[in-house]
């Protein structure tokens, strides 16, 4: 039975529903009919806003990229201290991301050309931003980039571990791990 809708749907409503579907089952879960049913809409409503399923997937990926990367970076830029930016970034990423099933699904298995491209853009943006902060802390450009890539490897591995072995990544362990990462890869000596 279809749920009644309080008003007309927007492309954003469809994109959020598609992102929720990705969180439940990856890109393969983005099916127009089931999302329409979730939204209490018809396929006609979908075609009013989108040319095809690929356009809906792209809208969901754009939403993921904006909300999980660009808006996070915008918020961090209010903090003047690059070390504090990195601390806040790591704490937020390690606290929030395991519950973000879309993040887990997309980083683990993008499955679609548009998703692969979005994951690459997001990784490049995140790694570049972290490297910029490390350079501001005095790390040489190449060293900052290497450390940033390693931080991103750790983050991606942490997401997988939080998914398959949550007992290893509990609250206390997560706080200890973030402190260790900061001490090892961020605050270490930039002078050789």
């Amino acid at each position: 039975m279809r749920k009644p809708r309080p008003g007309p749907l927007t492309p954003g409503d469809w994109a959020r529903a598609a992102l929720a579907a990705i969180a439940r089952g990856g890109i393969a879960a983005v099916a127009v009919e089931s999302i329409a049913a979730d939204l209490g809409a018809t396929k006609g409503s979908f075609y009013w806003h989108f040319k095809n399923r690929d356009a809906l997937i792209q809208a969901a990926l754009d939403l993921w990229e904006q909300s999980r990367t660009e808006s996070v970076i915008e918020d961090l830029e209010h903090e003047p201290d690059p070390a504090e930016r990195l601390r806040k970034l790591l704490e937020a990423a390690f606290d929030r991301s395991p519950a973000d099933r879309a993040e887990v699904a997309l980083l683990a298995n993008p499955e679609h050309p548009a998703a692969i491209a979005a994951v690459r853009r997001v990784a490049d943006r995140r790694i570049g931003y972290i490297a910029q902060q490390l350079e501001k802390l005095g790390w040489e450009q190449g060293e900052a980039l290497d450390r940033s890539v390693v931080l991103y490897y750790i983050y991606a591995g942490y997401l997988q571990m939080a998914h398959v072995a949550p007992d290893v990544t509990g609250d206390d362990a997560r706080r200890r791990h973030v402190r260790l990462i900061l001490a090892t890869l961020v605050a270490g000596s930039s002078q050789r």
Side-chain angles (χ1 to χ4, degrees):
M1 176 178 251
R2 196 173 302 280
K3 298 184 251 178
R5 277 295 303 166
L9 290 171
T10 67
D13 294 327
W14 282 94
R16 282 186 292 281
L19 192 56
I22 291 169
R24 286 191 305 272
I27 296 291
V30 179
V32 174
E33 288 181 10
S34 64
I35 292 173
D38 290 346
L39 291 171
T42 64
K43 282 176 64 176
S45 171
F46 165 79
Y47 287 109
W48 180 260
H49 298 294
F50 297 98
K51 180 179 176 180
N52 54 35
R53 177 180 176 265
D54 286 342
L56 176 60
I57 289 170
Q58 187 62 59
L61 295 168
D62 291 346
L63 174 62
W64 171 69
E65 188 171 354
Q66 175 57 38
S67 65
R68 307 304 201 286
T69 301
E70 295 305 327
S71 67
V72 170
I73 289 172
E74 287 171 24
D75 289 345
L76 287 169
E77 284 300 303
H78 297 297
E79 171 58 53
D81 179 24
E84 186 62 14
R85 279 187 210 132
L86 287 172
R87 185 193 63 76
K88 287 180 176 182
L89 175 63
L90 288 174
E91 285 180 355
F94 279 64
D95 283 347
R96 184 183 66 221
S97 295
D100 184 350
R101 305 297 298 163
E103 180 94 357
V104 173
L106 288 168
L107 293 184
N109 189 12
E111 303 176 24
H112 186 281
I116 292 166
V119 166
R120 285 181 182 157
R121 273 193 316 276
V122 163
D124 287 346
R125 178 69 166 120
R126 291 172 177 177
I127 289 167
Y129 183 76
I130 293 167
Q132 287 173 353
Q133 305 320 302
L134 291 169
E135 286 181 52
K136 290 176 183 178
L137 291 173
W139 292 100
E140 179 270 322
Q141 184 179 19
E143 181 77 10
L145 183 58
D146 286 344
R147 287 172 179 270
S148 182
V149 170
V150 170
L151 280 166
Y152 204 67
Y153 290 164
I154 291 168
Y155 169 69
Y158 167 73
L159 281 180
Q160 186 62 25
M161 286 301 293
H163 176 66
V164 299
D167 54 312
V168 176
T169 59
D171 290 342
D172 289 337
R174 190 169 52 245
R175 282 189 285 277
R176 287 191 318 273
H177 299 159
V178 167
R179 282 193 306 270
L180 178 62
I181 291 165
L182 287 167
T184 305
L185 292 170
V186 175
S189 175
S190 62
Q191 305 300 317
R192 293 278 187 266

